[in-house]
Structure formats: structure tokens, C-alpha cells
Amino acid sequence: MSALNRSIALAGAGAIGTHILRALLNHPNHPKVVVLTRRGSKKDLPSDLSSATVIPVDYTDVAALTALFKEHSIEVVISTVPAPGYVTAQHALADAAKASGSVKLFVPSDWGVPTEGAKEEGNSLSVKDEVAEYLKSIGLPYTRIFTGLFMSFIPWVIGADAESSAYIQGTGKTPFTTTSEEDIGGFVAHVLTSLPLTSPDLVNTSLRIQGQKITLQECARFLNKSIVLVAEGESIPAKTDEEKHFKALVQTLIEGGMTSTGWDRRTNREIEGAAGSANKLWEGHVWQTVGSSSA
Ligand SMILES: NC(=O)c1ccc[n+]([C@@H]2O[C@H](COP(=O)([O-])OP(=O)(O)OC[C@H]3O[C@@H](n4cnc5c(N)ncnc54)[C@H](OP(=O)(O)O)[C@@H]3O)[C@@H](O)[C@H]2O)c1
């Protein structure tokens, strides 16, 4: 079933949001899209997206967000806000979506490793799970999308973007999920404009997509980089200490298996067949792989 001219609000158009926006604007189902930007933000969209409707908003003003969703008959809210806005902006967006009466589905800013169950862990991923719990608590239907590591981030994570070597912590032999940003955008545009918004494939589900299952050692070989194995706590090249810690954290998640979209944090194990289980919703699509990706 096709749902032409669905109305979608996209909160944040940055690293992943621009790819989602591009895919929505180019989709044959022609959804109507409004991009929400923080009032006063100086962020420019890439030139090919400059025709998008961009509306400045105040993420603390639930009444104004509600009025905006009503005025544009918004049916789907997609959030790609980054960490500082996970709770404040997303709770306001969710409250407004619920109050609008028009929004039928909310896609929170997950876009990474599976976070179900992370709420109890008190770590940097917990807040993503808390947002999903909030959506549940207010009775707003939601779809979480787990993607694994964005494909274009791989060279950065192993310090190979600026160096001739790849710096790998641990064995680098654990398979993990990576999906290109272009495919993430394409998948989002496809499922959110083609499926009924009441579909059990969308409502209160976690969609686990996967472009490719690969190891960091295999990535280094694809990128033609020699491998330097570093002990945990040793430096992976980065511009700042914060970046170093973040790269180390991402590599720890990869080594532990948690970056597979088949991972279940509640049981600490891979669920057989779960990685990429939502790929079937985009029938016939050929997913990009490391080396083939244009992202
Ligand atoms: N799996 C991966 O490898 C991977 C990699 C990167 C990110 N992610 C995930 O993807 C999601 C989005 O990350 P991103 O890197 O795409 O985000 P981003 O580019 O840092 O931010 C997206 C947009 O959000 C707006 N924004 C910035 N700060 C905000 C705030 N405090 N409150 C509300 N809006 C704010 C900005 O737009 P305006 O200035 O126009 O308001 C910005 O362009 C996050 O959940 C992140 O964890 C995953």
C-alpha cells in the first residue's frame, strides 16, 4: 500500500538527518517534509536540499510545537537530535506530537546500537532507552531504528582517516553491523512512506537493519591500512581527548559484540537472526558495503 503525500517533521538535519531528508525529498511517494531547526541556528543545509521547508522552533515550547504539528497535519515525527537534546527536545517533541492529535508515529533519535534495556545501565546509551520508555508512558506509538555503526564513521573510529594505519583495540575480529548513511535514509523514507502507520511492522517496534556484517580487521584491509593493535586505554589517534575516549568506547562496544543490530542488552547476547531482520521491509534493495558505499 502506498501513502502518497504523508506529512513528516524531521527534527535535526545533521550527520544522519541530511541523509534522511535527501531520501524523503527524492522518494517517489512524495512526502511533505518540514525540517525543524533551533531558532537562531546558523546551520545551512547542503545545496541539493536547499529547497526543503525549514521551520525554526523552540524545543522548550510544547504549545508552539503542538500548533506547528497541527498546522502542517504532521503524521510522523523523526528525531535526529544529538545527545544534548535527547531528553529536553525529544520530550517536548513527544508531548507536542501526542497533543497534536495528528501525529501517529514518533521515531526517536536512536540510529545506532540496540539500546533496549540500556535504561538500567546508567551509561551514555541509557538516555536513548529512557526516551523510548517515555514514548511508551504517554501512549505515543514509536519506531526505534537500530543501524549499527554508520559506514562513513569506520575510518574515523580506527584512526585511519588521517593515518596510514588502522588502530584497533582488542582483537578486531568481532563481527559488527555497519550501514551506510545513504541506506539508512533510504530505508527510513521507504518504510515511513510506504507502510500504513498502524502497521505492526512499525508500531512500538525496534527495526534492526544491517548494511553489512564485518570486522574491524576486515575494514582495515578494505581501506588498505596496516593494522596496529592497541591495548585498551592506549591511544587511537584523535584530535581531542574526548574523541579518543569516544573512539575507545565505540571499539569496546564492537569488540564485545554490542554493535551488532542483533544484540540484546538485556540478555547480553546475540539474538539469532535478529541482525538485519528489518531489511526485509525494503524488498529488493541492494545494501551498500564497505568499499561500495558513497557515504
Ligand atoms: N551509529 C553511528 O555510527 C552514529 C554516528 C553519529 C551519530 N549517531 C546517532 O545519530 C543521532 C543523530 O546524531 P547526528 O550526529 O546526526 O546529530 P548532529 O548532526 O550532531 O545534530 C543534528 C541536528 O540537531 C540539531 N541540534 C543540535 N544540538 C541540538 C540540541 N541540543 N537540541 C536539539 N537539536 C539540536 C542541529 O540542527 P539545528 O542547528 O538546525 O537545530 C543539528 O544539525 C544520535 O542519536 C546519534 O547518537 C550514530
Side-chain angles (χ1 to χ4, degrees):
M1 175 182 160
S2 111
L4 296 177
N5 300 120
R6 194 160 271 166
S7 291
I8 297 178
L10 174 66
I16 193 59
T18 49
H19 293 272
I20 295 171
L21 177 60
R22 184 172 289 114
L24 287 168
L25 293 180
N26 291 320
H27 199 277
N29 282 346
H30 302 298
K32 286 183 261 173
V33 186
V34 296
V35 179
L36 310 185
T37 184
R38 287 165 301 165
R39 194 159 286 151
S41 168
K42 297 272 182 289
K43 198 176 171 314
D44 284 331
L45 288 172
S47 56
D48 67 312
L49 303 177
S50 59
S51 64
T53 304
V54 179
I55 303 182
V57 296
D58 172 357
Y59 285 118
T60 64
D61 190 342
V62 175
L65 288 167
T66 306
L68 186 156
F69 291 159
K70 279 187 184 168
E71 183 192 340
H72 292 271
S73 306
I74 297 297
E75 298 165 275
V76 182
V77 175
I78 305 173
S79 168
T80 70
V81 300
Y86 282 160
V87 173
T88 44
Q90 293 198 100
H91 279 206
L93 285 165
D95 289 341
K98 180 76 182 168
S100 72
S102 63
V103 175
K104 299 183 184 71
L105 199 67
F106 191 101
V107 181
S109 189
D110 247 295
W111 317 115
V113 303
T115 54
E116 287 170 340
K119 186 163 82 79
E120 313 304 332
E121 298 169 7
N123 56 31
S124 58
L125 296 175
S126 301
V127 70
K128 291 190 173 185
D129 199 33
E130 280 163 21
V131 169
E133 290 295 323
Y134 185 71
L135 297 171
K136 250 182 242 176
S137 76
I138 64 170
L140 182 63
Y142 62 86
T143 307
R144 298 166 80 168
I145 302 184
F146 303 140
T147 63
L149 185 62
F150 296 170
M151 209 165 267
S152 77
F153 276 57
I154 292 174
W156 179 82
V157 165
I158 53 181
D161 50 341
E163 305 268 340
S164 56
S165 299
Y167 294 79
I168 296 178
Q169 180 186 276
T171 66
K173 290 182 177 168
T174 307
F176 68 97
T177 296
T178 182
T179 310
S180 79
E181 288 91 325
E182 195 179 328
D183 277 346
I184 294 168
F187 176 83
V188 169
H190 177 72
V191 297
L192 294 182
T193 68
S194 305
L195 296 176
L197 294 178
T198 51
S199 164
D201 285 322
L202 293 178
V203 173
N204 301 344
T205 55
S206 293
L207 300 182
R208 299 164 181 266
I209 60 174
Q210 173 164 277
Q212 186 179 17
K213 199 80 171 258
I214 193 167
T215 68
L216 284 182
Q217 291 226 10
E218 287 164 347
C219 289
R221 285 194 283 277
F222 269 115
L223 296 167
N224 282 322
K225 302 284 179 178
S226 56
I227 294 170
V228 178
L229 291 178
V230 297
E232 198 159 335
E234 276 181 26
S235 280
I236 302 162
K239 291 196 191 85
T240 62
D241 281 348
E242 196 188 354
E243 259 189 28
K244 262 179 208 164
H245 290 134
F246 189 64
K247 289 180 185 194
L249 171 68
V250 173
Q251 289 208 25
T252 302
L253 292 174
I254 289 174
E255 184 76 3
M258 289 161 257
T259 307
S260 163
T261 51
W263 191 258
D264 180 8
R265 301 185 77 83
R266 292 159 300 199
T267 57
N268 243 353
R269 65 175 186 83
E270 178 82 7
I271 307 165
E272 208 183 321
S277 51
N279 288 20
K280 66 177 183 293
L281 297 177
W282 197 9
E283 215 178 319
H285 177 66
V286 179
W287 296 75
Q288 295 183 352
T289 54
V290 174
S292 79
S293 160
S294 58

